[in-house]
Amino acid sequence: MDWFKGIRLRRNTFSEDQNLEYHHIFPQKLLSARGVDPYTRDEMANLAFLSQKANKKITAREPRVYLAEIAEHDPERLQAQCVPMDRSLWEMDRFEDFLKARRELLARAMNDLLSS
């Protein structure tokens, strides 16, 4: 589900300016400035699917800011992509903890899907 429009994300749903993109939940630019290695920065637990337009809207904003905006409007949009809802994990200095929590949520979702 797109975080800003609330529409279902599908490969061919969008017009040309709204292609589906990977989004770094904790932005690459901010993590690189903190010395986080690319392997950790780019791991699956830090990626979400967004429209190109939404990805550009976020740019390099801190997760505690933009995730809070989305959660205030519709928390299900974040939950649909297994984003931990503990807001303390959205702080830049909690990146490793965020990854751990999101890995667990992603694994649970995959296991639920496989057992259904």
Side-chain angles (χ1 to χ4, degrees), residues 99-114:
L99 291 179
K100 182 178 185 234
R102 187 146 189 260
R103 283 184 209 116
E104 291 171 6
L105 291 171
L106 289 168
R108 191 174 311 136
M110 285 184 250
N111 286 330
D112 289 348
L113 179 67
L114 292 172

Side-chain angles (χ1 to χ4, degrees), residues 16-104:
E16 190 173 307
D17 70 332
Q18 294 215 4
N19 291 324
L20 194 59
E21 292 186 346
Y22 292 109
H23 164 71
H24 287 77
I25 299 169
F26 280 70
Q28 292 175 301
K29 183 178 181 177
L30 299 178
L31 292 173
S32 294
R34 290 173 166 258
V36 175
D37 69 275
Y39 178 79
T40 304
R41 180 194 70 203
D42 296 338
E43 77 165 80
M44 185 172 60
N46 191 34
L47 298 176
F49 296 103
L50 295 182
S51 69
Q52 181 181 36
K53 204 174 218 178
N55 199 15
K56 287 182 180 181
K57 181 176 182 175
I58 294 169
T59 60
R61 293 168 64 203
E62 288 193 22
R64 69 176 175 79
V65 175
Y66 80 87
L67 290 177
E69 292 171 2
I70 297 163
E72 296 290 325
H73 184 70
D74 188 351
E76 288 184 24
R77 294 178 184 180
L78 298 176
Q79 293 165 340
Q81 292 206 45
C82 301
V83 173
M85 297 308 292
D86 176 351
R87 291 180 183 219
S88 71
L89 296 174
W90 302 349
E91 298 289 338
M92 290 302 298
D93 62 349
R94 299 285 312 273
F95 176 61
E96 294 288 336
D97 297 324
F98 173 87
L99 291 179
K100 182 178 185 234
R102 187 146 189 260
R103 283 184 209 116
E104 291 171 6

